[in-house]
Structures are given as C-alpha cells and as structure tokens.
Amino acid sequence: MCIRDRWIEGDARALALLPPADLLVMTGHVAQVFLDDTAFLNTLKAARYALRDGGSLAFESRNPAARAWESWTPAQSRRLIDVEGVGEVEVWQDDVTGSPESGIRFNTYYRFEATDETLSSASELRFRTQDELTAQLEAAGFRHLTWQGDWDGAAVSAASRELIVVAR
C-alpha cells in the first residue's frame, strides 16, 4: 500500500486545485481563528467539496465549557521552553479581553533569556460550542460526525478541554 501525504499552504480556495482527498486535517485549533460564521462555513464547504466520497475532515477546537482563557494569566500560563539553537524562552499569556462568542483577544509574550528581549503576538479566537460546530458542519454538507473530548478518545463532557471531530 502506498500512502502519500501532501501539505498545502493556503486558504480553503487552494483545495479546488487539487484532486479529491481522503482526509483533510485542520491543525492547531485553527477552526477558532474564524471569528465570522460565514467565513468558517465557507471553509467547511470548501473542505467538503475537496473530499472524495467517504473522505473525512478532522479538527479540534477548545471546548468553551472548559473556559481555557481564564487561565491565560501570567501566573497560570508562564512556562520555560528550551529551544535548540536559541536557548531558554519564557512564554506566557496576558491581556485577555472579549467574550467566547465573539472572540477572546489575548497576547502571548516570549522573553528570550540569552538576550532579555521580549516579543509579543496578539491573537483572537472564537469558542464555538459542540452544537454550534455541529450546525456549521451539517450546513456544509457533512452528515456523519464522530466526537471526542480529548486526545485519549474520551467522550465529550462539560469537563472536556477539547472538541475533536471527524466529519464525513
């Protein structure tokens, strides 16, 4: 059996240029960067039409019931990462504003121990419920949805940190 992976950089419009896929994966909570429902739905529709019959789309989104943004404070999020060739980098989140329904805005800070330089990156994420994600997926033409609440395969619950879906 020959398995080929092909990584494509671009937005969902690039999918129309490719042959039908067996599997499409949206990684790194990317579903949450779509603040607007229309843009998210258009992306899901493009993914649906890029799949061959029986193909699947898989992605994860943070479960809003777990309220992850409440721990995005310097005291709770600060960690030290050893980056090869760079050294230790202190990372933390702060400046959290907004709402999960319209978008949580926050900054991530990176302090490089070797130079004492600090850089920041602004982000905004939308937290959709499982029902909202289901409605969007169904509107895009997906009919069979399999959900997990974490990477260990647990069922979705109010305590689940993740909403992981495989949609066909």
Side-chain angles (χ1 to χ4, degrees):
M1 172 175 21
C2 177
I3 298 176
R4 293 185 349 202
D5 294 334
R6 187 169 184 191
W7 292 85
I8 305 297
E9 182 179 348
D11 64 24
R13 294 175 294 196
L15 296 172
L17 304 174
L18 303 172
D22 294 317
L23 174 66
L24 297 175
V25 179
M26 296 191 314
T27 62
H29 299 109
V30 74
Q32 291 188 257
V33 303
F34 296 96
L35 304 178
D36 175 78
D37 284 335
T38 301
F40 186 48
L41 178 60
N42 288 340
T43 298
L44 293 175
K45 284 180 178 179
R48 175 66 192 100
Y49 293 114
L51 291 168
R52 71 178 77 249
D53 287 340
S56 299
L57 168 67
F59 67 88
E60 84 280 51
S61 184
R62 291 176 187 89
N63 184 358
R67 305 181 66 81
W69 62 90
E70 290 179 348
S71 66
W72 294 346
T73 65
Q76 293 179 337
S77 66
R78 193 174 309 270
R79 59 212 178 274
L80 198 58
I81 300 170
D82 189 18
V83 178
E84 186 176 332
V86 174
E88 291 187 329
V89 180
E90 186 179 18
V91 181
W92 70 94
Q93 280 80 35
D94 199 4
D95 310 318
V96 178
T97 61
S99 71
E101 300 81 19
S102 61
I104 296 285
R105 291 170 295 286
F106 62 98
N107 290 321
T108 302
Y109 295 89
Y110 306 87
R111 189 178 69 75
F112 297 83
E113 299 242 339
T115 63
D116 201 34
E117 179 182 18
T118 301
L119 302 176
S120 66
S121 173
S123 299
E124 187 169 5
L125 300 176
R126 168 97 181 261
F127 287 74
R128 289 178 177 85
T129 65
Q130 184 178 4
D131 288 343
E132 290 172 310
L133 292 169
T134 296
Q136 290 274 21
L137 285 160
E138 289 176 349
F142 291 97
R143 298 291 171 247
H144 304 284
L145 309 178
T146 304
W147 292 94
Q148 294 179 184
D150 211 332
W151 294 106
D152 62 4
V156 174
S157 72
S160 299
R161 293 174 41 129
E162 302 284 343
L163 297 172
I164 302 166
V165 64
V166 177
R168 291 184 312 138

